């Protein structure tokens, strides 16, 4: 399987299948006024469904699917028969950032980089170049993994 990130709402998915409707929906949502776009993302969930359906298809019988971070939307129908038949466990929750901040911050700012996070930064640019940075990241140009914006 080759990794692919489904851009939008920070949701990542890995695999070979891509739903062309996802790209179209994201493009259209990007053209809407912010208040309308947010409502569409909250209710539509096209990118979330694609990633979740792929996880359901690929998890082994009796396996566990973990959904971590922000996962919203009101119109997320689930294939309950498949979930039941494959005896799949669903585990989910928001990333508890505040709980771990005191433990992880010293490791993140340590100049010896014990977690290896500096390797994730592929681009660094001034804050005024943010639109370019987002475009580079979204299109995964020039091997973009993480774009750091400096004030």
């Amino acid at each position: 399987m080759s990794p692919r990130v489904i851009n939008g709402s920070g949701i990542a998915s890995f695999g070979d299948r891509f739903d062309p409707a996802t790209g179209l929906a994201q493009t259209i949502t990007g053209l809407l006024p912010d208040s309308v776009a947010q409502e569409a993302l909250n209710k539509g969930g096209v990118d979330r469904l694609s990633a979740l359906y792929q996880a359901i298809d690929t998890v082994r019988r009796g396996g566990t699917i973990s959904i971590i971070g922000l996962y919203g939307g009101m119109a997320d129908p689930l294939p309950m028969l498949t979930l039941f038949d494959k005896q799949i466990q669903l585990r989910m929750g928001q990333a508890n950032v505040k709980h771990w901040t005191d433990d992880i911050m010293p490791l993140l700012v340590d100049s010896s980089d014990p977690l290896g996070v500096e390797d994730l930064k592929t681009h660094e640019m001034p804050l005024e170049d943010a639109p370019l940075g987002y475009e580079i990241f979204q299109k995964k140009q020039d091997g973009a993994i993480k774009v750091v914006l400096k004030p």
Side-chain angles (χ1 to χ4, degrees):
M1 286 186 166
S2 62
R4 182 189 296 79
V5 174
I6 297 176
N7 298 314
S9 304
I11 305 299
S13 174
F14 298 91
D16 292 328
R17 293 186 307 170
F18 178 72
D19 179 8
T22 299
L24 178 62
Q26 290 171 355
T27 301
I28 291 170
T29 303
L31 299 173
L32 297 172
D34 288 345
S35 60
V36 176
Q38 187 59 49
E39 189 65 20
L41 284 174
N42 288 343
K43 298 243 165 109
V46 175
D47 54 320
R48 294 184 297 266
L49 287 176
S50 177
L52 186 57
Y53 286 156
Q54 183 174 354
I56 292 168
D57 288 345
T58 57
V59 69
R60 68 173 171 80
R61 207 170 270 288
T64 301
I65 296 172
S66 295
I67 304 168
I68 302 168
L70 293 176
Y71 188 88
M74 300 300 285
D76 289 350
L78 294 175
M80 295 304 289
L81 182 60
T82 303
L83 291 166
F84 184 79
D85 181 54
K86 290 181 77 173
Q87 302 175 28
I88 296 171
Q89 295 182 48
L90 293 177
R91 300 192 44 98
M92 60 195 84
Q94 293 186 1
N96 193 349
V97 176
K98 287 186 179 183
H99 176 78
W100 293 104
T101 300
D102 292 340
D103 293 333
I104 201 165
M105 281 307 291
L107 298 171
L108 293 173
V109 298
D110 186 332
S111 61
S112 68
D113 192 25
L115 299 177
V117 295
E118 285 297 317
D119 294 339
L120 298 175
K121 179 178 69 175
T122 56
H123 296 75
E124 187 173 317
M125 54 188 57
L127 185 58
E128 51 271 4
D129 290 342
L132 174 63
Y134 278 102
E135 181 179 349
I136 290 170
F137 177 76
Q138 183 180 30
K139 294 179 178 177
K140 301 296 180 230
Q141 295 172 335
D142 193 29
I145 295 174
K146 181 114 183 138
V147 177
V148 175
L149 300 172
K150 294 285 187 175

